[in-house]
Amino acid sequence: MKKFLSLVLSSALLISAMAGCGPSNADGSGSAASVESAVSSVSGGAEESAAAGEKPALTIGLRPNPLTTDYEDNYLTDLMEETAGVSLEFFFFPSEGAEAKQKFSMMVAGGETLPDIVVLPGLSDVERYNYGSGGYFIPLDEYMENDAVNWNKTMDTWATGQQKESVLRDARSFDGKIYAFPQFYCDPADASSLYMSINKQWLDNLKLEVPATTDELYTVLKAFKEQDANGNGDSKDEIPMMGHTGWQGSAATFLLNSFTYFAYSGDFGYQLNAENGRLSAPFVTEEFREGLRFLRKLVEEGLLSDLSFSQTDAEVKSILQAPEDQDSLVGVVVGHPSPLFGTGVPRVKEYVGIPSLKGPDGVEWAPFSYQSGTYQVFITGDCGNPDAAFRFLDAMSETEMSLTMRFGKKDVNWRYAEGESRYSGIGEEYKAVYEQGFDPEETVPWTTENAVIWHDNVFNSLPPLLMGGALAVPYADEYQEYKLTELCYNVFPRRYNLHPEEMPVKVTFNEEETDRIHDILSSVQTYVDESITRFALGDLDVETGWEAYLAELDTMGLAEYLETSQAAYDRAMG
């Protein structure tokens, strides 16, 4: 990152010294004519263009998706042009994220003309600020305040006031300006997707109930290990519990949340906790240590497989998806049921979900993936018609356009519907808005090669109430229905709100703060990951090695990380 920032800063100095090479004014306003003075009514601009019989041409720079067979001769492209009254041309960055960012930085350094609109997923807050303050991205504050007609309507209809406020707050860079068009795409099911499932057939064989506490889980796992739970006459072939190292397969994370709130965030590494505005690290508390003791107890007694800390999800799938005539081997499994059980697997009906487990002190949390905005679409300083560019972005935020961008042609791949949403268990506000799969002759555009959509949520706005407005429809077979209803949709609503009210997931660090904590954060994240595994497996003793563990975190700079995070959090919150 330091090398990248040096490149950007030196490039900015070089370009500003060369007449005609840079896209920005000396004041960083972002175009030859000041954006602040150029903003006009988007609707008025559309009327003027229509009256003149012209369609403003906009060039869009994006990463191509291999499933999109053609961008120019494309249903979505044609619809976008017709809806926004523009003509679209394409500039393609490399498909790999890091290479796309590098290509853009080289274009900036070389003084090349930038596309009118660029889509750059993965830009950090610092990179977004540097490009924006340097004039390569124009500020969108006045546009958002005066002309975001469709964006506001979508947010006011399908998002809460708190969500809308959060999306706009997080969009602001260190200088208070909005350089990226704020999007809000969130499937509510993704917010709580760490699952635990238990073999109900084994429970019935041993006349046991689904555990609701960590003590009850221990009792059940002990019985699974010792009492021939699968009924094949061999009391030693059962694996009481296992997880994996793939997506949402961490048994440690599930269990530690019965002792303290412990979640992972892409911005913070292991998320810091907050109480009355004060931040703290959960992984240095006595509650966390108590959770590690429980983990170690399960592994030491053979109740939680030690393979859970090294095996892939594919290895767990091979066990769960074994032929039906083979004995079931796993009592409790941590992981998302949809990929683990696949399709058409009869054994899935042996299992039921465990929504959560209450710890010895009554703690009962579930990690929650923060529902925040994304900031990856920018109008560049080389855009000759920023009014038309913003009008285009705003038009893509409209409800019907957003659904089309995600699901395909209206009344072909999706249509409006009424009834119960498949996510209605979260709350009464979740009503059916649309349905898919009503025509078995039509393929699903999102997962197939076609020129119907772009296979990317680059512009649309699908807040939780809209994305979660999928009609509850019949499933392909009884196994698919059981898996998704009994192990997923009936479980995640009970986990959805099991998190603290105050969660500092998204905090914007400025350049100085980022430089200060970048190496610390990386070191702490890696060390905590490794230490959890070592404590669980017994390579580190949770009694005699705890103080050394804390001392190592201090040496890495944990105190400085907390202090810096607190300052950034205070600034972000007001």
Side-chain angles (χ1 to χ4, degrees):
M1 179 170 285
K2 292 178 182 178
K3 292 180 180 178
F4 175 82
L5 294 177
S6 298
L7 173 62
V8 171
L9 293 174
S10 61
S11 299
L13 291 173
L14 174 64
I15 292 169
S16 65
M18 298 171 62
C21 289
S24 65
N25 294 330
D27 63 358
S29 57
S31 67
S34 172
V35 174
E36 284 75 6
S37 63
V39 173
S40 62
S41 169
V42 171
S43 59
E47 292 170 1
E48 291 173 9
S49 295
E54 300 175 351
K55 278 190 173 184
L58 295 174
T59 302
I60 296 177
L62 48 72
R63 294 157 49 192
N65 189 298
L67 291 179
T68 303
T69 57
D70 195 316
Y71 279 85
E72 294 184 355
D73 185 12
N74 184 288
Y75 172 80
L76 180 61
T77 301
D78 293 341
L79 183 63
M80 287 175 165
E81 292 179 326
E82 178 183 354
T83 301
V86 298
S87 174
L88 299 180
E89 300 173 358
F90 294 94
F91 175 91
F92 294 110
F93 291 107
S95 58
E96 201 279 321
E99 293 180 6
K101 289 170 59 176
Q102 183 182 37
K103 172 63 177 176
F104 183 78
S105 71
M106 296 301 292
M107 292 176 70
V108 168
E112 297 181 42
T113 300
L114 304 175
D116 299 307
I117 298 170
V118 294
V119 183
L120 287 171
L123 282 190
S124 68
D125 294 330
V126 171
E127 290 169 328
R128 188 192 342 155
Y129 167 73
N130 281 337
Y131 285 131
S133 61
Y136 303 102
F137 302 149
I138 69 171
L140 304 178
D141 304 67
E142 291 194 27
Y143 283 114
M144 291 302 302
E145 183 177 352
N146 300 319
D147 303 301
V149 178
N150 290 295
W151 188 89
N152 277 302
K153 183 177 181 180
T154 297
M155 293 295 287
D156 292 340
T157 303
W158 306 112
T160 67
Q162 184 178 10
Q163 288 169 339
K164 182 179 180 181
E165 179 184 351
S166 174
V167 170
L168 285 173
R169 182 190 67 231
D170 294 345
R172 297 194 179 277
S173 284
F174 318 128
D175 55 3
K177 294 181 179 180
I178 297 175
Y179 293 111
F181 187 81
Q183 301 158 277
F184 190 33
Y185 174 95
C186 183
D187 187 332
D190 290 341
S192 183
S193 49
L194 176 63
Y195 290 91
M196 178 182 285
S197 304
I198 188 168
N199 195 308
K200 183 65 164 58
Q201 193 172 91
W202 287 19
L203 291 173
D204 292 342
N205 290 344
L206 302 180
K207 295 181 173 54
L208 297 170
E209 299 296 327
V210 176
T213 69
T214 51
D215 287 343
E216 291 174 4
L217 176 69
Y218 174 79
T219 299
V220 165
L221 295 178
K222 193 83 168 172
F224 283 176
K225 184 177 188 297
E226 298 173 350
Q227 299 182 33
D228 187 24
N230 62 8
N232 67 350
D234 184 353
S235 62
K236 297 183 179 180
D237 66 345
E238 289 85 354
I239 304 171
M241 179 177 176
M242 71 165 28
H244 57 82
T245 59
W247 178 62
Q248 300 292 22
S250 175
T253 300
F254 195 104
L255 295 173
L256 286 167
N257 274 277
S258 298
F259 298 85
T260 186
Y261 186 72
F262 183 65
Y264 179 79
S265 163
D267 291 316
F268 264 110
Y270 279 118
Q271 184 186 318
L272 298 178
N273 292 343
E275 186 174 355
N276 297 322
R278 302 305 302 171
L279 301 183
S280 62
F283 44 82
V284 297
T285 64
E286 280 299 316
E287 292 81 4
F288 186 79
R289 186 183 188 185
E290 192 64 29
L292 292 175
R293 289 189 177 105
F294 183 67
L295 269 179
R296 176 58 190 150
K297 179 180 180 181
L298 296 184
V299 174
E300 188 174 26
E301 296 185 20
L303 307 182
L304 172 61
S305 171
D306 56 6
L307 294 176
S308 302
F309 301 91
S310 59
Q311 69 184 346
T312 66
D313 53 349
E315 292 171 297
V316 179
K317 289 179 190 178
S318 67
I319 299 175
L320 296 176
Q321 298 180 27
E324 190 178 7
D325 59 357
Q326 294 185 16
D327 295 324
S328 59
L329 298 177
V330 181
V332 176
V333 61
V334 176
H336 198 292
S338 189
L340 286 185
F341 285 100
T343 57
V345 178
R347 176 166 286 124
V348 69
K349 298 187 76 172
E350 295 181 9
Y351 289 80
V352 295
I354 299 179
S356 59
L357 294 166
K358 187 174 292 186
D361 294 328
V363 175
E364 189 178 9
W365 296 124
F368 185 83
S369 298
Y370 184 58
Q371 298 174 335
S372 64
T374 53
Y375 313 99
Q376 59 187 24
V377 179
F378 309 90
I379 300 176
T380 71
D382 281 333
C383 179
N385 194 337
D387 286 5
F390 187 87
R391 182 174 70 248
F392 168 77
L393 296 180
D394 182 60
M396 298 306 102
S397 299
E398 189 267 335
T399 294
E400 192 166 300
M401 178 60 75
S402 291
L403 289 171
T404 299
M405 195 178 305
R406 176 61 175 82
F407 300 115
K409 298 179 181 180
K410 179 188 175 186
D411 295 329
V412 176
N413 306 116
W414 71 272
R415 65 187 178 189
Y416 287 113
E418 295 181 357
E420 289 297 325
S421 165
R422 66 175 58 157
Y423 305 124
S424 58
I426 300 177
E428 294 181 358
E429 67 272 25
Y430 279 84
K431 302 297 182 183
V433 180
Y434 61 94
E435 65 171 319
Q436 308 170 68
F438 53 86
D439 186 350
E441 299 298 320
E442 290 291 334
T443 59
V444 178
W446 188 258
T447 57
T448 57
E449 290 187 1
N450 58 72
V452 176
I453 59 175
W454 292 2
H455 296 90
D456 205 349
N457 296 300
V458 290
F459 301 125
N460 55 352
S461 292
L462 291 171
L465 289 179
L466 179 54
M467 185 63 187
L471 181 69
V473 296
Y475 294 95
D477 56 54
E478 60 178 309
Y479 307 119
Q480 184 78 352
E481 179 177 7
Y482 184 90
K483 177 182 68 175
L484 293 178
T485 55
E486 295 300 321
L487 300 186
C488 293
Y489 297 136
N490 291 349
V491 175
F492 94 88
R494 297 166 64 183
R495 293 177 61 76
Y496 190 75
N497 291 312
L498 288 178
H499 56 81
E501 184 175 346
E502 186 178 3
M503 293 194 301
V505 180
K506 173 63 179 176
V507 174
T508 301
F509 294 106
N510 62 33
E511 186 174 346
E512 179 184 352
E513 291 165 342
T514 299
D515 189 54
R516 185 186 309 153
I517 69 169
H518 181 263
D519 292 339
I520 297 175
L521 178 56
S522 177
S523 298
V524 167
Q525 173 69 49
T526 300
Y527 183 64
V528 172
D529 278 339
E530 293 173 349
S531 297
I532 291 173
T533 298
R534 294 184 66 194
F535 279 126
L537 298 180
D539 295 338
L540 280 177
D541 191 296
V542 72
E543 306 303 336
T544 61
W546 181 252
E547 294 303 323
Y549 162 76
L550 298 180
E552 184 64 24
L553 287 172
D554 284 340
T555 301
M556 290 178 176
L558 178 60
E560 184 177 2
Y561 170 56
L562 287 171
E563 180 183 352
T564 305
S565 299
Q566 185 69 60
Y569 186 61
D570 291 344
R571 181 178 63 244
M573 300 306 292

